[in-house]
Amino acid sequence: MKPQRNHLLMALGLIAGIAATLVYNAGADEPAKPDTIASGPTAACKPSNLAVAGGRKLKPDDFEEPQACGSCHQRQFKGWQGSMHSLAFKDPVLQAEWALAYKATEGRALNDCGGCHTPIGVVTGTVKFDPTLGKHGGFTVAKQGEHGVSCDVCHSVSGSTAHLSPTGQPGNASIELNPGETKYGPLKDAKSGYHETQYSELHTKAEFCGSCHNIFHAENKFPIEHTYDEWKASPYAQAGIPCQDCHMVPVNVAIQVADRMVRAKDVPNHGLGGLAAKGSKKEREIVHDHGFVGGNAVIAAALGVPGAEEHKGEAIKRLQNAADLDMDVRKGRGGVNELVVKVTNLRAGHQLPTSLTFIRRIWLDVTITDDRGRVILRSGEVDDHNRVDEDAVMFGNRSVDRNGKPTINPWEIAGFAEMNTIPPKGHRYGRYAFTLPADATAFKVDVKLNYQSYDQKVADKLLGDGAVKVPTVEMKALSRSYGRDLKLVALPGPVASR
Amino acid sequence: MISSKGRGNPRLCGAGDGAVFFDNFSDRSPTLRNLTATLLGIAFTAGASAWEPLPPTPPVPEDNPMTAEKVELGKQLFFDPRFSATGTVSCNTCHNLMLGGDDGRPTSMGVHGLTGPRNAPTVWNAAFHPSQFWDGRAASLEAQARGPVVAEVEMGMKDLDRAIARVRAIPGYRDAFARVFGGEQPVTVDNAAKAVAAFERTLVTANSPYDRWAAGDKTALSPQQVRGLEKFAALGCTGCHQPPAFSGPRKPNGHFAVFPFNDGPYVDRYRLRDDIGRMAVSGRESDRHKYKIPTLRNVALTAPYFHNGRVATLDEAVRVMAAAQLNVEPPADDVADIVAFLQALTGEFPALTLPRLPATPGVSLIDP
């Protein structure tokens, strides 16, 4: 029997108007020409907010190789290796997207994207576009810049340039770099024989991460990615729990942080104490993981970089613990039944999904089967081409260009026409209408919450058809059985949830 | 196979060939891997420690290209004692190239039997060092070459003008400088320093057991040496002594580390803090007891150890470093393993013939 497809009621909570009011054309800003690295490194970093302390002219050798840091900071290096931070420049999806942006903006995207994806490449002026690379072109950079967000990017941050961003909040690489013998970090009494140390309060705060995890369009200023802003408006910010407390600890500890709403250091038996470096004498309360695990289970694993499998495993675990599902079935109007699926953002301190909310895909996969084995509702199915049913209940934002035309190209985005991400500790619903065949006496509802880092179409466009198969991660699953009277017949509560 | 050919992008990073690395992971998406390598022209380093072999040639500065004649001239100057006050001390006196490139003394002895404050570092592979002298006060070999000639306790010349005047007084050198450098007055301190530096850039001891191992010959190290290598990395030694030269990182302004970092019995026993290190040249309090990170290549041949040469043996040097820098007391087995590994850093020494020096028939340049 062919599944029904005409049952969808769209999810609630879309406030299309708000997005439209955020859209305006800037045009006033004179974007920096890509190849004019003339008046000092700070100017060279535009339109990103990246800056160099004292306007020094930097060479790639001013920055330490991660391997060198890793010799003493072995635990931190192991975590960083294979992380998306380590792949921030090498990620082929980024490279292709960036190349398209570069061509569409006559090169203005060079430093715009590069400011966060290869800060070293931008401040040293060594990042260059090469049209002969890849499907759409690609970028080359001095060796130190290939490591993306490497140890010596973050630990050379001597200040914030958040005042340069449109709202005064961190964003667009709002960091000042001061590489050299002094390394900046969160410990007040750090001592090293290898480098000088400087305590940096900024490193302990969400604002530090927000420097890159909050992105405004360089010209029209629209907040394209607002992970930091989402956090700032969340209960986590109010409880004083910064990004670091979830993304720089193992998932098991992050779960405790979110469930108890306490700082990571206050999680009982977190087991994260130890030495911050080889040769240290002082036991630290927490030695942070440097894996920065989020939801990306694709790139590291596909590239097979060292540490990839651990990162993939942690990313999947994180996704599987972020949200929860519940469901209810009730009588609708005119003999139609209504299934309501509730999706709760249980443990993410930002929206689900966050960052590229118009590209990341979180959706409901719903099947209703009657007691005779007939599928009477099917939604959110992944087809043979790894594409998700267009009518699926999808949690994300729908982005449009300055003319209101749908686009997912970040350089074209001027607003969101629909916003449907799930707020921290909040929930959204998926609603489905269905009718039972006259001879059905019971039915079963199977719901899955699924995640893809991006649509297969996006991957095919950026990398070429079939270059990578975007994996679907099942974040949560819930099955229940009901009688014809819509009363639960099976055990209440989650059956197949993980 | 992944190749960077034809894309004009030679920046393949890391020790291994990316192709080999990727081929070892054939269960992963080959299309994406190939695509990424093609796309970016970059490979992915294969492990936590980049165990690279020593390159056959060190970095060469643009303003001092290598030529065979320049190297030969530099070699003559290196071995020529006539530019010392007494006519007895050449570069080779303290940096004996027929041995480990040092003099085996705690601190070196120059003219008139005078001794200096520090141990002579080996000149073998010095071209890979990010800076020269224990305190890094010379950024290049060219800058370093000027120092010892006028150091009172080394070659003891009053000034460089007098030293270069002696070179200029030797017809054979005048001709050689003219051939190598050209110009109206080719016999200059700068050119002499360039020639010596060019020669020193040929003093490379590659192909040690470690290098052969790093290049893929897994039989080149004994099991004990492999254990030593692993312990060396696990202890954190590679933090400062970074492969392939096992010296510090190359930084635009040099790189310096505190020694000794920790207190402990060795500090007094070997008087490790008598010398204030780099602070003596920079005047900065933050440079107190800081030194450049010396190479460990051929370290088995360059006893005694440390800046003051007060530690006689390699195993004691390992214990001192472990305690003073890394706050550990490694068990005897670990020390033995690490020493075995350090012995694997002894390279192949190229055959050297002593140069004939241009003579001054009937005349001596040395003041009586």
Side-chain angles (χ1 to χ4, degrees):
Chain A
M1 175 174 281
K2 186 139 172 64
Q4 296 177 12
R5 278 185 179 271
N6 58 349
H7 48 262
L8 276 190
L9 304 172
M10 263 316 292
L12 297 175
L14 304 183
I15 316 164
I18 288 181
T21 63
L22 293 170
V23 179
Y24 63 94
N25 296 324
D29 275 32
E30 185 65 48
K33 287 251 172 68
D35 293 319
T36 49
I37 298 173
S39 53
T42 306
C45 300
K46 283 181 181 174
S48 81
N49 293 333
L50 197 55
V52 178
R56 286 160 62 199
K57 189 124 186 99
L58 296 178
K59 295 183 202 154
D61 279 354
D62 280 304
F63 292 91
E64 201 82 43
E65 281 288 298
Q67 221 119 34
C69 310
S71 298
C72 288
H73 302 283
Q74 296 176 357
R75 195 161 141 187
Q76 294 88 335
F77 178 80
K78 191 167 180 291
W80 173 84
Q81 196 179 34
S83 71
M84 288 311 294
H85 276 179
S86 77
L87 300 172
F89 175 81
K90 295 173 181 172
D91 177 354
V93 174
L94 168 271
Q95 284 267 334
E97 187 87 312
W98 187 7
L100 291 171
Y102 181 93
K103 291 190 283 193
T105 61
E106 296 167 326
R108 293 195 300 277
L110 182 74
N111 289 347
D112 195 11
C113 304
C116 285
H117 285 276
T118 177
I120 293 174
V122 170
V123 294
T124 59
T126 55
V127 59
K128 304 279 182 226
F129 179 67
D130 183 342
T132 67
L133 299 176
K135 189 178 168 200
H136 304 288
F139 296 82
T140 61
V141 72
K143 188 176 78 163
Q144 290 82 349
E146 288 178 354
H147 304 303
V149 184
S150 63
C151 320
D152 214 9
V153 170
C154 290
H155 293 287
S156 292
V157 170
S158 55
S160 166
T161 61
H163 62 280
L164 297 175
S165 82
T167 60
Q169 297 297 323
N172 293 18
S174 57
I175 49 174
E176 177 195 75
L177 296 179
N178 188 23
E181 59 184 4
T182 300
K183 306 301 171 203
Y184 300 80
L187 299 175
K188 287 181 176 160
D189 57 349
K191 264 192 180 166
S192 161
Y194 184 80
H195 55 74
E196 300 294 320
T197 56
Q198 174 67 52
Y199 169 65
S200 163
E201 193 188 1
L202 183 60
H203 282 70
T204 68
K205 293 185 165 300
E207 284 66 28
F208 185 72
C209 314
S211 303
C212 277
H213 294 279
N214 222 33
I215 300 298
F216 304 87
H217 192 286
E219 285 155 34
N220 68 35
K221 312 299 182 195
F222 180 73
I224 299 173
E225 298 181 45
H226 28 62
T227 305
Y228 168 80
D229 286 333
E230 292 161 11
W231 169 85
K232 185 87 174 165
S234 78
Y236 294 82
Q238 291 175 21
I241 301 168
C243 320
Q244 291 89 333
D245 279 27
C246 289
H247 290 282
M248 294 186 74
V249 297
V251 180
N252 289 338
V253 177
I255 290 170
Q256 295 281 309
V257 168
D259 288 351
R260 297 164 182 262
M261 289 303 276
V262 297
R263 299 288 314 263
K265 68 180 171 60
D266 297 326
V267 169
N269 307 315
H270 56 62
L272 300 176
L275 301 176
K278 284 279 159 182
S280 308
K281 283 180 176 164
K282 189 165 178 182
E283 284 273 330
R284 302 295 176 177
E285 199 174 11
I286 284 191
V287 178
H288 285 102
D289 275 9
H290 282 62
F292 311 101
V293 176
N296 197 318
V298 189
I299 291 300
L303 295 175
V305 293
E309 289 306 314
E310 291 90 325
H311 279 94
K312 181 182 173 184
E314 278 279 295
I316 290 172
K317 203 166 157 191
R318 208 164 273 260
L319 287 166
Q320 290 175 342
N321 285 285
D324 203 9
L325 287 175
D326 198 1
M327 69 169 83
D328 192 19
V329 179
R330 53 178 88 131
K331 275 247 179 289
R333 287 176 207 145
V336 176
N337 301 310
E338 188 184 17
L339 166 69
V340 182
V341 178
K342 182 181 177 186
V343 186
T344 303
N345 178 348
L346 206 55
R347 299 189 180 104
H350 46 68
Q351 309 280 124
L352 280 180
T354 187
S355 72
L356 298 166
T357 52
F358 42 93
I359 286 179
R360 307 275 180 251
R361 297 170 77 77
I362 293 180
W363 77 97
L364 287 172
D365 178 331
V366 174
T367 310
I368 302 179
T369 318
D370 75 5
D371 55 338
R372 297 182 162 208
R374 293 172 296 200
V375 174
I376 54 177
L377 184 147
R378 188 78 186 85
S379 170
E381 193 176 12
V382 178
D383 69 15
D384 294 344
H385 302 289
N386 198 27
R387 291 185 184 161
V388 182
D389 166 8
E390 288 289 326
D391 292 336
V393 172
M394 185 78 65
F395 302 100
N397 295 332
R398 288 184 195 265
S399 45
V400 292
D401 68 10
R402 59 199 291 178
N403 301 315
K405 194 170 148 258
T407 178
I408 57 166
N409 295 328
W411 59 93
E412 290 174 349
I413 292 175
F416 290 147
E418 291 176 13
M419 299 178 81
N420 191 35
T421 56
I422 311 164
K425 300 287 181 192
H427 54 262
R428 293 209 187 275
Y429 296 102
R431 294 172 190 272
Y432 305 82
F434 65 98
T435 51
L436 284 175
D439 56 351
T441 57
F443 63 96
K444 181 164 174 265
V445 182
D446 294 301
V447 179
K448 291 175 194 160
L449 184 69
N450 284 339
Y451 177 85
Q452 286 184 338
S453 284
Y454 20 76
D455 190 279
Q456 186 63 44
K457 274 184 290 192
V458 172
D460 290 349
K461 176 188 158 199
L462 293 176
L463 304 177
D465 288 340
V468 66
K469 185 179 180 226
V470 180
T472 298
V473 177
E474 186 183 295
M475 296 174 67
K476 204 78 189 177
L478 178 62
S479 296
R480 281 183 188 166
S481 294
Y482 296 87
R484 189 166 180 94
D485 57 359
L486 308 187
K487 293 231 167 75
L488 265 176
V489 295
L491 286 171
V495 174
S497 75
R498 16 188 115 213
Chain B
M1 285 290 285
I2 292 157
S3 163
S4 63
K5 267 185 235 153
R7 289 197 310 281
N9 177 14
R11 266 196 296 276
L12 275 165
C13 62
D17 177 350
V20 174
F21 170 65
F22 281 141
D23 287 347
N24 291 339
F25 287 77
S26 53
D27 58 320
R28 302 206 173 82
S29 160
T31 323
L32 182 61
R33 289 198 315 270
N34 292 340
L35 178 107
T36 305
T38 312
L39 183 75
L40 305 183
I42 55 179
F44 296 86
T45 42
S49 291
W51 297 116
E52 299 168 47
L54 193 69
T57 52
V60 175
E62 272 175 28
D63 63 351
N64 192 17
M66 306 279 280
T67 66
E69 278 196 314
K70 190 191 286 179
V71 168
E72 188 58 27
L73 172 60
K75 184 180 185 183
Q76 290 175 319
L77 295 169
F78 189 93
F79 280 97
D80 198 329
R82 289 174 290 178
F83 317 122
S84 65
T86 54
T88 55
V89 178
S90 70
C91 306
N92 194 63
T93 304
C94 301
H95 302 287
N96 188 347
L97 294 178
M98 301 307 159
L99 283 168
D102 68 337
D103 57 9
R105 297 179 47 83
T107 63
S108 295
M109 182 179 284
V111 294
H112 306 299
L114 296 169
T115 51
R118 290 181 184 152
N119 179 264
T122 178
V123 70
W124 289 106
N125 309 303
F128 291 97
H129 292 182
S131 63
Q132 306 296 335
F133 294 120
W134 276 100
D135 52 24
R137 64 187 183 274
S140 64
L141 289 170
E142 283 81 355
Q144 189 277 338
R146 298 154 171 264
V149 179
V150 292
E152 198 183 335
V153 296
E154 297 182 36
M155 294 167 75
M157 294 297 284
K158 282 213 163 54
D159 55 51
L160 286 169
D161 286 345
R162 282 174 220 225
I164 202 69
R166 284 197 186 171
V167 182
R168 211 173 278 141
I170 301 169
Y173 276 132
R174 283 203 300 273
D175 295 346
F177 273 79
R179 279 198 306 277
V180 171
F181 295 104
E184 287 215 348
Q185 178 47 281
V187 187
T188 62
V189 172
D190 278 356
N191 285 343
K194 281 183 174 175
V196 171
F199 170 59
E200 288 173 339
R201 290 195 177 95
T202 68
L203 302 177
V204 175
T205 66
N207 213 25
S208 67
Y210 160 80
D211 292 310
R212 295 200 301 276
W213 178 88
D217 175 6
K218 295 304 169 197
T219 65
L221 295 185
S222 70
Q224 186 187 21
Q225 287 172 326
V226 172
R227 281 201 309 276
L229 171 141
E230 285 163 356
K231 286 172 183 171
F232 183 81
L235 272 180
C237 307
T238 48
C240 285
H241 297 285
Q242 299 169 10
F246 293 89
S247 56
R250 186 167 283 276
K251 295 283 162 207
N253 302 316
H255 185 90
F256 308 96
V258 177
F259 176 80
F261 181 58
N262 297 313
D263 298 330
Y266 294 122
V267 174
D268 289 339
R269 190 180 309 160
Y270 298 118
R271 297 173 61 177
L272 299 177
R273 287 206 180 113
D274 286 7
D275 190 330
I276 60 170
R278 184 167 169 76
M279 185 183 169
V281 289
S282 76
R284 299 197 314 167
E285 179 58 38
S286 61
D287 282 335
R288 186 182 288 275
H289 306 308
K290 275 192 184 170
Y291 299 91
K292 78 160 185 207
I293 295 159
T295 181
L296 296 181
R297 287 195 168 261
N298 306 310
V299 69
L301 306 181
T302 61
Y305 297 105
F306 300 114
H307 60 274
N308 59 12
R310 284 182 178 270
V311 176
T313 64
L314 192 51
D315 54 344
E316 181 72 347
V318 168
R319 283 189 290 269
V320 171
M321 283 306 280
Q325 302 307 96
L326 296 166
N327 196 34
V328 290
E329 284 178 42
D333 283 357
D334 286 10
V335 173
D337 290 351
I338 289 171
V339 167
F341 162 65
L342 293 175
Q343 284 164 343
L345 293 177
T346 300
E348 272 181 16
F349 289 82
L352 268 183
T353 45
L354 282 170
R356 288 299 303 171
L357 302 181
T360 54
V363 185
S364 170
L365 296 175
I366 312 304
D367 307 325

